[in-house]
mmCIF file with all atom_site columns, all heavy atoms in Angstrom:
data_model
loop_
_atom_site.group_PDB
_atom_site.id
_atom_site.type_symbol
_atom_site.label_atom_id
_atom_site.label_alt_id
_atom_site.label_comp_id
_atom_site.label_asym_id
_atom_site.label_entity_id
_atom_site.label_seq_id
_atom_site.pdbx_PDB_ins_code
_atom_site.Cartn_x
_atom_site.Cartn_y
_atom_site.Cartn_z
_atom_site.occupancy
_atom_site.B_iso_or_equiv
_atom_site.pdbx_formal_charge
_atom_site.auth_seq_id
_atom_site.auth_comp_id
_atom_site.auth_asym_id
_atom_site.auth_atom_id
_atom_site.pdbx_PDB_model_num
ATOM 1   N N   . LEU A 1 86  ? 207.912 241.962 50.784 1.00 95.00 ? 102 LEU A N   1
ATOM 2   C CA  . LEU A 1 86  ? 206.826 242.918 51.142 1.00 95.00 ? 102 LEU A CA  1
ATOM 3   C C   . LEU A 1 86  ? 207.412 244.001 52.091 1.00 95.00 ? 102 LEU A C   1
ATOM 4   O O   . LEU A 1 86  ? 206.600 244.868 52.557 1.00 95.00 ? 102 LEU A O   1
ATOM 5   C CB  . LEU A 1 86  ? 205.738 242.179 51.839 1.00 95.00 ? 102 LEU A CB  1
ATOM 6   C CG  . LEU A 1 86  ? 204.850 241.251 51.023 1.00 95.00 ? 102 LEU A CG  1
ATOM 7   C CD1 . LEU A 1 86  ? 203.909 240.562 51.920 1.00 95.00 ? 102 LEU A CD1 1
ATOM 8   C CD2 . LEU A 1 86  ? 204.114 242.043 49.955 1.00 95.00 ? 102 LEU A CD2 1
ATOM 9   N N   . PRO A 1 139 ? 201.744 233.696 60.556 1.00 68.00 ? 155 PRO A N   1
ATOM 10  C CA  . PRO A 1 139 ? 201.691 233.151 59.255 1.00 68.00 ? 155 PRO A CA  1
ATOM 11  C C   . PRO A 1 139 ? 201.401 234.206 58.221 1.00 68.00 ? 155 PRO A C   1
ATOM 12  O O   . PRO A 1 139 ? 200.941 235.374 58.585 1.00 68.00 ? 155 PRO A O   1
ATOM 13  C CB  . PRO A 1 139 ? 200.460 232.186 59.238 1.00 68.00 ? 155 PRO A CB  1
ATOM 14  C CG  . PRO A 1 139 ? 199.576 232.795 60.234 1.00 68.00 ? 155 PRO A CG  1
ATOM 15  C CD  . PRO A 1 139 ? 200.505 233.348 61.286 1.00 68.00 ? 155 PRO A CD  1
ATOM 16  N N   . ILE A 1 140 ? 201.641 233.951 56.912 1.00 63.00 ? 156 ILE A N   1
ATOM 17  C CA  . ILE A 1 140 ? 201.241 234.889 55.892 1.00 63.00 ? 156 ILE A CA  1
ATOM 18  C C   . ILE A 1 140 ? 199.953 234.311 55.211 1.00 63.00 ? 156 ILE A C   1
ATOM 19  O O   . ILE A 1 140 ? 199.926 233.200 54.774 1.00 63.00 ? 156 ILE A O   1
ATOM 20  C CB  . ILE A 1 140 ? 202.290 235.038 54.821 1.00 63.00 ? 156 ILE A CB  1
ATOM 21  C CG1 . ILE A 1 140 ? 203.623 235.601 55.361 1.00 63.00 ? 156 ILE A CG1 1
ATOM 22  C CG2 . ILE A 1 140 ? 201.884 235.877 53.600 1.00 63.00 ? 156 ILE A CG2 1
ATOM 23  C CD1 . ILE A 1 140 ? 204.740 235.714 54.343 1.00 63.00 ? 156 ILE A CD1 1
ATOM 24  N N   . ILE A 1 141 ? 198.888 235.055 55.359 1.00 67.00 ? 157 ILE A N   1
ATOM 25  C CA  . ILE A 1 141 ? 197.649 234.653 54.825 1.00 67.00 ? 157 ILE A CA  1
ATOM 26  C C   . ILE A 1 141 ? 197.059 235.764 54.008 1.00 67.00 ? 157 ILE A C   1
ATOM 27  O O   . ILE A 1 141 ? 197.003 236.925 54.445 1.00 67.00 ? 157 ILE A O   1
ATOM 28  C CB  . ILE A 1 141 ? 196.600 234.338 56.020 1.00 67.00 ? 157 ILE A CB  1
ATOM 29  C CG1 . ILE A 1 141 ? 197.145 233.233 56.872 1.00 67.00 ? 157 ILE A CG1 1
ATOM 30  C CG2 . ILE A 1 141 ? 195.239 233.985 55.461 1.00 67.00 ? 157 ILE A CG2 1
ATOM 31  C CD1 . ILE A 1 141 ? 197.101 231.819 56.234 1.00 67.00 ? 157 ILE A CD1 1
ATOM 32  N N   . ASP A 1 142 ? 196.578 235.452 52.785 1.00 62.00 ? 158 ASP A N   1
ATOM 33  C CA  . ASP A 1 142 ? 195.980 236.382 51.868 1.00 62.00 ? 158 ASP A CA  1
ATOM 34  C C   . ASP A 1 142 ? 196.914 237.669 51.742 1.00 62.00 ? 158 ASP A C   1
ATOM 35  O O   . ASP A 1 142 ? 196.497 238.781 51.643 1.00 62.00 ? 158 ASP A O   1
ATOM 36  C CB  . ASP A 1 142 ? 194.692 236.858 52.486 1.00 62.00 ? 158 ASP A CB  1
ATOM 37  C CG  . ASP A 1 142 ? 193.758 237.475 51.396 1.00 62.00 ? 158 ASP A CG  1
ATOM 38  O OD1 . ASP A 1 142 ? 194.075 237.352 50.169 1.00 62.00 ? 158 ASP A OD1 1
ATOM 39  O OD2 . ASP A 1 142 ? 192.784 238.218 51.715 1.00 62.00 ? 158 ASP A OD2 1
ATOM 40  N N   . GLY A 1 143 ? 198.224 237.356 51.611 1.00 60.00 ? 159 GLY A N   1
ATOM 41  C CA  . GLY A 1 143 ? 199.189 238.452 51.260 1.00 60.00 ? 159 GLY A CA  1
ATOM 42  C C   . GLY A 1 143 ? 199.602 239.258 52.512 1.00 60.00 ? 159 GLY A C   1
ATOM 43  O O   . GLY A 1 143 ? 200.285 240.272 52.217 1.00 60.00 ? 159 GLY A O   1
ATOM 44  N N   . GLN A 1 144 ? 199.203 238.949 53.618 1.00 63.00 ? 160 GLN A N   1
ATOM 45  C CA  . GLN A 1 144 ? 199.586 239.809 54.734 1.00 63.00 ? 160 GLN A CA  1
ATOM 46  C C   . GLN A 1 144 ? 200.091 238.869 55.943 1.00 63.00 ? 160 GLN A C   1
ATOM 47  O O   . GLN A 1 144 ? 199.655 237.808 56.058 1.00 63.00 ? 160 GLN A O   1
ATOM 48  C CB  . GLN A 1 144 ? 198.394 240.614 55.286 1.00 63.00 ? 160 GLN A CB  1
ATOM 49  C CG  . GLN A 1 144 ? 197.231 239.868 55.714 1.00 63.00 ? 160 GLN A CG  1
ATOM 50  C CD  . GLN A 1 144 ? 196.102 240.792 56.183 1.00 63.00 ? 160 GLN A CD  1
ATOM 51  O OE1 . GLN A 1 144 ? 196.271 241.640 56.979 1.00 63.00 ? 160 GLN A OE1 1
ATOM 52  N NE2 . GLN A 1 144 ? 194.897 240.564 55.721 1.00 63.00 ? 160 GLN A NE2 1
ATOM 53  N N   . VAL A 1 145 ? 201.056 239.423 56.666 1.00 64.00 ? 161 VAL A N   1
ATOM 54  C CA  . VAL A 1 145 ? 201.567 238.707 57.834 1.00 64.00 ? 161 VAL A CA  1
ATOM 55  C C   . VAL A 1 145 ? 200.669 239.024 58.997 1.00 64.00 ? 161 VAL A C   1
ATOM 56  O O   . VAL A 1 145 ? 200.497 240.206 59.339 1.00 64.00 ? 161 VAL A O   1
ATOM 57  C CB  . VAL A 1 145 ? 203.039 239.121 58.144 1.00 64.00 ? 161 VAL A CB  1
ATOM 58  C CG1 . VAL A 1 145 ? 203.530 238.395 59.347 1.00 64.00 ? 161 VAL A CG1 1
ATOM 59  C CG2 . VAL A 1 145 ? 203.918 238.869 56.979 1.00 64.00 ? 161 VAL A CG2 1
ATOM 60  N N   . ILE A 1 146 ? 200.051 238.036 59.602 1.00 69.00 ? 162 ILE A N   1
ATOM 61  C CA  . ILE A 1 146 ? 199.238 238.301 60.808 1.00 69.00 ? 162 ILE A CA  1
ATOM 62  C C   . ILE A 1 146 ? 199.823 237.714 61.999 1.00 69.00 ? 162 ILE A C   1
ATOM 63  O O   . ILE A 1 146 ? 200.753 236.860 61.954 1.00 69.00 ? 162 ILE A O   1
ATOM 64  C CB  . ILE A 1 146 ? 197.806 237.721 60.593 1.00 69.00 ? 162 ILE A CB  1
ATOM 65  C CG1 . ILE A 1 146 ? 197.926 236.142 60.461 1.00 69.00 ? 162 ILE A CG1 1
ATOM 66  C CG2 . ILE A 1 146 ? 197.126 238.298 59.376 1.00 69.00 ? 162 ILE A CG2 1
ATOM 67  C CD1 . ILE A 1 146 ? 196.508 235.504 60.441 1.00 69.00 ? 162 ILE A CD1 1
ATOM 68  N N   . LEU A 1 168 ? 189.973 240.059 60.657 1.00 84.00 ? 184 LEU A N   1
ATOM 69  C CA  . LEU A 1 168 ? 190.818 240.495 59.488 1.00 84.00 ? 184 LEU A CA  1
ATOM 70  C C   . LEU A 1 168 ? 190.146 240.355 58.105 1.00 84.00 ? 184 LEU A C   1
ATOM 71  O O   . LEU A 1 168 ? 190.682 240.789 57.161 1.00 84.00 ? 184 LEU A O   1
ATOM 72  C CB  . LEU A 1 168 ? 192.080 239.689 59.516 1.00 84.00 ? 184 LEU A CB  1
ATOM 73  C CG  . LEU A 1 168 ? 193.010 239.795 60.762 1.00 84.00 ? 184 LEU A CG  1
ATOM 74  C CD1 . LEU A 1 168 ? 194.067 238.705 60.787 1.00 84.00 ? 184 LEU A CD1 1
ATOM 75  C CD2 . LEU A 1 168 ? 193.617 241.172 60.795 1.00 84.00 ? 184 LEU A CD2 1
ATOM 76  N N   . GLY A 1 169 ? 188.917 239.842 58.145 1.00 84.00 ? 185 GLY A N   1
ATOM 77  C CA  . GLY A 1 169 ? 188.194 239.650 56.878 1.00 84.00 ? 185 GLY A CA  1
ATOM 78  C C   . GLY A 1 169 ? 188.927 238.771 55.930 1.00 84.00 ? 185 GLY A C   1
ATOM 79  O O   . GLY A 1 169 ? 188.872 238.999 54.632 1.00 84.00 ? 185 GLY A O   1
ATOM 80  N N   . LEU A 1 170 ? 189.530 237.729 56.390 1.00 82.00 ? 186 LEU A N   1
ATOM 81  C CA  . LEU A 1 170 ? 190.247 236.746 55.479 1.00 82.00 ? 186 LEU A CA  1
ATOM 82  C C   . LEU A 1 170 ? 189.244 235.872 54.730 1.00 82.00 ? 186 LEU A C   1
ATOM 83  O O   . LEU A 1 170 ? 188.355 235.221 55.366 1.00 82.00 ? 186 LEU A O   1
ATOM 84  C CB  . LEU A 1 170 ? 191.224 235.948 56.266 1.00 82.00 ? 186 LEU A CB  1
ATOM 85  C CG  . LEU A 1 170 ? 192.279 236.706 57.158 1.00 82.00 ? 186 LEU A CG  1
ATOM 86  C CD1 . LEU A 1 170 ? 193.110 235.785 57.997 1.00 82.00 ? 186 LEU A CD1 1
ATOM 87  C CD2 . LEU A 1 170 ? 193.197 237.443 56.172 1.00 82.00 ? 186 LEU A CD2 1
ATOM 88  N N   . THR A 1 171 ? 189.492 235.701 53.471 1.00 79.00 ? 187 THR A N   1
ATOM 89  C CA  . THR A 1 171 ? 188.587 234.862 52.673 1.00 79.00 ? 187 THR A CA  1
ATOM 90  C C   . THR A 1 171 ? 189.400 233.816 51.789 1.00 79.00 ? 187 THR A C   1
ATOM 91  O O   . THR A 1 171 ? 188.873 232.979 51.184 1.00 79.00 ? 187 THR A O   1
ATOM 92  C CB  . THR A 1 171 ? 187.712 235.684 51.680 1.00 79.00 ? 187 THR A CB  1
ATOM 93  O OG1 . THR A 1 171 ? 188.513 236.486 50.849 1.00 79.00 ? 187 THR A OG1 1
ATOM 94  C CG2 . THR A 1 171 ? 186.837 236.602 52.497 1.00 79.00 ? 187 THR A CG2 1
ATOM 95  N N   . LYS A 1 172 ? 190.728 234.041 51.802 1.00 74.00 ? 188 LYS A N   1
ATOM 96  C CA  . LYS A 1 172 ? 191.556 233.126 50.975 1.00 74.00 ? 188 LYS A CA  1
ATOM 97  C C   . LYS A 1 172 ? 192.984 233.247 51.425 1.00 74.00 ? 188 LYS A C   1
ATOM 98  O O   . LYS A 1 172 ? 193.350 234.161 52.189 1.00 74.00 ? 188 LYS A O   1
ATOM 99  C CB  . LYS A 1 172 ? 191.530 233.539 49.385 1.00 74.00 ? 188 LYS A CB  1
ATOM 100 C CG  . LYS A 1 172 ? 191.985 234.940 49.150 1.00 74.00 ? 188 LYS A CG  1
ATOM 101 C CD  . LYS A 1 172 ? 191.912 235.206 47.653 1.00 74.00 ? 188 LYS A CD  1
ATOM 102 C CE  . LYS A 1 172 ? 192.400 236.631 47.351 1.00 74.00 ? 188 LYS A CE  1
ATOM 103 N NZ  . LYS A 1 172 ? 192.389 236.928 45.925 1.00 74.00 ? 188 LYS A NZ  1
ATOM 104 N N   . GLY A 1 173 ? 193.800 232.326 51.021 1.00 67.00 ? 189 GLY A N   1
ATOM 105 C CA  . GLY A 1 173 ? 195.203 232.292 51.395 1.00 67.00 ? 189 GLY A CA  1
ATOM 106 C C   . GLY A 1 173 ? 195.588 230.985 52.025 1.00 67.00 ? 189 GLY A C   1
ATOM 107 O O   . GLY A 1 173 ? 194.765 230.255 52.563 1.00 67.00 ? 189 GLY A O   1
ATOM 108 N N   . GLY A 1 174 ? 196.879 230.655 52.035 1.00 62.00 ? 190 GLY A N   1
ATOM 109 C CA  . GLY A 1 174 ? 197.410 229.433 52.580 1.00 62.00 ? 190 GLY A CA  1
ATOM 110 C C   . GLY A 1 174 ? 196.784 228.220 52.004 1.00 62.00 ? 190 GLY A C   1
ATOM 111 O O   . GLY A 1 174 ? 196.707 227.191 52.591 1.00 62.00 ? 190 GLY A O   1
ATOM 112 N N   . GLY A 1 175 ? 196.492 228.290 50.631 1.00 65.00 ? 191 GLY A N   1
ATOM 113 C CA  . GLY A 1 175 ? 195.868 227.216 49.999 1.00 65.00 ? 191 GLY A CA  1
ATOM 114 C C   . GLY A 1 175 ? 194.367 227.101 50.160 1.00 65.00 ? 191 GLY A C   1
ATOM 115 O O   . GLY A 1 175 ? 193.762 226.138 49.689 1.00 65.00 ? 191 GLY A O   1
ATOM 116 N N   . CYS A 1 176 ? 193.732 228.101 50.808 1.00 71.00 ? 192 CYS A N   1
ATOM 117 C CA  . CYS A 1 176 ? 192.278 228.068 51.018 1.00 71.00 ? 192 CYS A CA  1
ATOM 118 C C   . CYS A 1 176 ? 191.517 229.048 50.083 1.00 71.00 ? 192 CYS A C   1
ATOM 119 O O   . CYS A 1 176 ? 192.091 230.061 49.684 1.00 71.00 ? 192 CYS A O   1
ATOM 120 C CB  . CYS A 1 176 ? 192.074 228.449 52.484 1.00 71.00 ? 192 CYS A CB  1
ATOM 121 S SG  . CYS A 1 176 ? 192.572 227.180 53.705 1.00 71.00 ? 192 CYS A SG  1
ATOM 122 N N   . ILE A 1 182 ? 190.218 228.552 56.147 1.00 84.00 ? 198 ILE A N   1
ATOM 123 C CA  . ILE A 1 182 ? 191.382 229.289 56.879 1.00 84.00 ? 198 ILE A CA  1
ATOM 124 C C   . ILE A 1 182 ? 191.268 229.080 58.453 1.00 84.00 ? 198 ILE A C   1
ATOM 125 O O   . ILE A 1 182 ? 192.207 228.891 59.114 1.00 84.00 ? 198 ILE A O   1
ATOM 126 C CB  . ILE A 1 182 ? 191.297 230.795 56.579 1.00 84.00 ? 198 ILE A CB  1
ATOM 127 C CG1 . ILE A 1 182 ? 191.542 231.038 55.064 1.00 84.00 ? 198 ILE A CG1 1
ATOM 128 C CG2 . ILE A 1 182 ? 192.380 231.496 57.438 1.00 84.00 ? 198 ILE A CG2 1
ATOM 129 C CD1 . ILE A 1 182 ? 191.495 232.470 54.638 1.00 84.00 ? 198 ILE A CD1 1
ATOM 130 N N   . GLY A 1 203 ? 201.291 228.526 54.495 1.00 34.00 ? 219 GLY A N   1
ATOM 131 C CA  . GLY A 1 203 ? 201.048 229.432 53.369 1.00 34.00 ? 219 GLY A CA  1
ATOM 132 C C   . GLY A 1 203 ? 202.252 230.430 53.139 1.00 34.00 ? 219 GLY A C   1
ATOM 133 O O   . GLY A 1 203 ? 201.951 231.545 52.742 1.00 34.00 ? 219 GLY A O   1
#
Side-chain angles (χ1 to χ4, degrees):
L102 292 174
I156 297 178
I157 301 290
D158 200 15
Q160 60 180 310
V161 181
I162 64 175
L184 297 169
L186 300 174
T187 58
K188 61 180 180 178
C192 292
I198 298 177

